[in-house]
Amino acid sequence: MQLMSVLNLDLTKEIQRLKKEKNAIVLAHNYQISPVQDVADFVGDSLKLSRLAGETDASYIIFCGVHFMAETASIISPDKKVLIPDLEAGCSLASSINPNELLKWKNENPDAVVVSYVNTSAEVKALSDYCCTSSNAVKVVQSIPESNTILFLPDMFLGAYVAEVTKRKNIKIWPGECHVHAGITDKDINRMLNKYVNAEFMVHPECSCTSSTLYHISNGDINGESKILSTEGMMNEARVSKNNQFLVATEVGILSRMRQENPSKEFIPVKEDAICKYMKKITIEKVYNSLVNDVYEVKVPEDIARKAIIPIERMLAIS
Ligand code: 13P
Ligand code: SF4
């Protein structure tokens, strides 16, 4: 069916009907636009969505996030049909390392343990020992014996944060970055912290200001509370915190869910234009199109999936 011919239908209702008819679930990342989050069965961060992909009985998973997340879901649930509504939903961070670059790095460090952030391609995961997400990166690194050198990739800010928290000296960090989070700088943070002196401050570990934030926290330079959290960690904190005003340093898509779930609290983005264009590729029209036309399937070749599942399962075991 042509997209144009359904413009007058209530897409939301149609999506709900199709989900039942096909035994499909919609998983949406916290950065998705509100209409997509509204039609989702579950909204969450990378770790939560990976877990849900492994637990669901649904026949179809419509993954509203970026490509590596859909690949991870397909690796975890090879018997499910995983669809992504737009194949152009990529990730600048995942693109910052390819399998050949990792192979070269491994050859230069033959005894090292490779820890890959989940924002990597399936091929890179297949060459890794452990995967981690922003919510369990510290625990994953802590689970590796002190004597092992670690190759941490691809996010240099998350790597610097993990090295600082774990106090490990033998972590080598790949110089990759996410263009959205790298754009949230010390200058942005300081300007907002000076303006909202009593707000609680929540920052994603991919932000370029993370290391200096750690420094400010340890020096007691920040008046209000401050926490370095994954996107789902931020959602939990927004719910349980006694504070009423929050400064949020991450992609701004998370704010609509925060405001919806906590109507009496105020959430202020540290940077209004911290927008991931890849996450915004997905619309409800495209979700509908996925359900109607079974597009676009994300399937990882079996030989890659067989290797990539090992670091992913290690990641899921450590939360
Ligand atoms: P989370 O794992 O915190 O959801 O982050 C994923 C991501 O892509 C951040 O940019
Ligand atoms: Fe990738 Fe950055 Fe977008 Fe997250 S925000 S999906 S790391 S480009």
Side-chain angles (χ1 to χ4, degrees):
M1 196 190 294
Q2 290 290 307
L3 265 185
M4 288 304 286
S5 66
V6 295
L7 277 182
N8 292 332
L9 291 180
D10 183 335
L11 273 186
T12 305
K13 269 199 197 138
E14 270 302 284
I15 288 171
Q16 302 303 358
R17 184 186 67 73
L18 283 164
K19 282 199 294 189
K20 275 203 195 106
E21 187 180 294
K22 300 189 80 151
N23 187 25
I25 59 161
V26 174
L27 303 181
H29 188 266
N30 286 318
Y31 297 159
Q32 291 291 297
I33 57 170
S34 305
V36 171
Q37 292 195 14
D38 292 345
V39 296
D41 297 279
F42 299 99
V43 181
D45 66 358
S46 316
L47 188 60
K48 179 172 160 187
L49 297 180
S50 300
R51 286 227 165 84
L52 288 164
E55 288 162 8
T56 181
D57 292 329
S59 315
Y60 286 80
I61 299 173
I62 315 297
F63 210 110
C64 301
V66 291
H67 194 264
F68 76 80
M69 295 181 180
E71 268 188 344
T72 308
S74 162
I75 294 166
I76 294 171
S77 287
D79 52 330
K80 308 263 150 56
K81 201 160 187 169
V82 178
L83 304 176
I84 189 163
D86 189 325
L87 277 173
E88 284 181 22
C91 168
S92 60
L93 179 55
S95 304
S96 69
I97 186 162
N98 65 41
N100 288 337
E101 290 168 323
L102 177 52
L103 268 178
K104 183 168 175 282
W105 203 25
K106 281 176 64 151
N107 287 337
E108 288 160 6
N109 298 274
D111 299 324
V113 174
V114 178
V115 179
S116 292
Y117 190 32
V118 72
N119 295 40
T120 41
S121 67
E123 287 90 343
V124 166
K125 287 187 178 76
L127 292 168
S128 304
D129 298 299
Y130 289 82
C131 280
C132 68
T133 70
S134 56
S135 54
N136 70 358
V138 168
K139 283 191 185 157
V140 167
V141 166
Q142 280 168 338
S143 76
I144 298 166
E146 281 288 331
S147 53
N148 286 116
T149 297
I150 292 175
L151 302 183
F152 190 97
L153 64 108
D155 189 284
M156 60 179 167
F157 301 113
L158 180 65
Y161 165 69
V162 170
E164 181 60 37
V165 174
T166 60
K167 304 282 174 229
R168 277 182 86 130
K169 299 277 174 264
N170 54 355
I171 301 189
K172 298 186 179 184
I173 300 167
W174 187 258
E177 63 177 28
C178 150
H179 69 292
V180 180
H181 286 90
I184 304 178
T185 62
D186 278 359
K187 221 169 119 209
D188 299 316
I189 299 290
N190 289 332
R191 187 172 42 83
M192 295 303 270
L193 286 174
N194 286 334
K195 192 165 169 194
Y196 299 97
V197 283
N198 292 315
E200 177 171 342
F201 176 46
M202 300 194 278
V203 58
H204 196 277
E206 282 176 25
C207 290
S208 70
C209 55
T210 298
S211 334
S212 66
T213 302
L214 273 174
Y215 174 80
H216 289 310
I217 293 173
S218 62
N219 265 9
D221 297 345
I222 301 176
N223 280 345
E225 266 179 78
S226 50
K227 301 215 160 112
I228 297 174
L229 298 163
S230 72
T231 57
E232 202 57 20
M234 289 184 183
M235 288 308 307
N236 294 336
E237 179 64 14
R239 202 174 308 120
V240 302
S241 170
K242 292 197 171 45
N243 293 313
N244 282 316
Q245 192 182 51
F246 300 82
L247 277 176
V248 183
T250 192
E251 211 271 355
V252 293
I254 197 167
L255 292 161
S256 45
R257 186 176 161 214
M258 273 180 181
R259 290 173 180 146
Q260 208 175 359
E261 289 186 12
N262 307 279
S264 64
K265 298 180 177 178
E266 187 187 6
F267 300 96
I268 305 154
V270 166
K271 198 157 184 271
E272 299 256 10
D273 61 351
I275 297 170
C276 175
K277 64 179 181 184
Y278 303 110
M279 284 281 180
K280 307 305 182 221
K281 288 269 175 202
I282 315 257
T283 60
I284 55 164
E285 287 80 5
K286 291 179 188 171
V287 174
Y288 174 80
N289 187 44
S290 269
L291 281 160
V292 173
N293 295 315
D294 280 8
V295 288
Y296 298 90
E297 187 171 7
V298 176
K299 187 90 194 139
V300 175
E302 217 192 298
D303 54 328
I304 307 273
R306 215 179 30 246
K307 291 181 191 148
I309 190 72
I310 298 166
I312 292 173
E313 277 179 347
R314 288 178 180 155
M315 167 186 86
L316 294 174
I318 302 171
S319 55

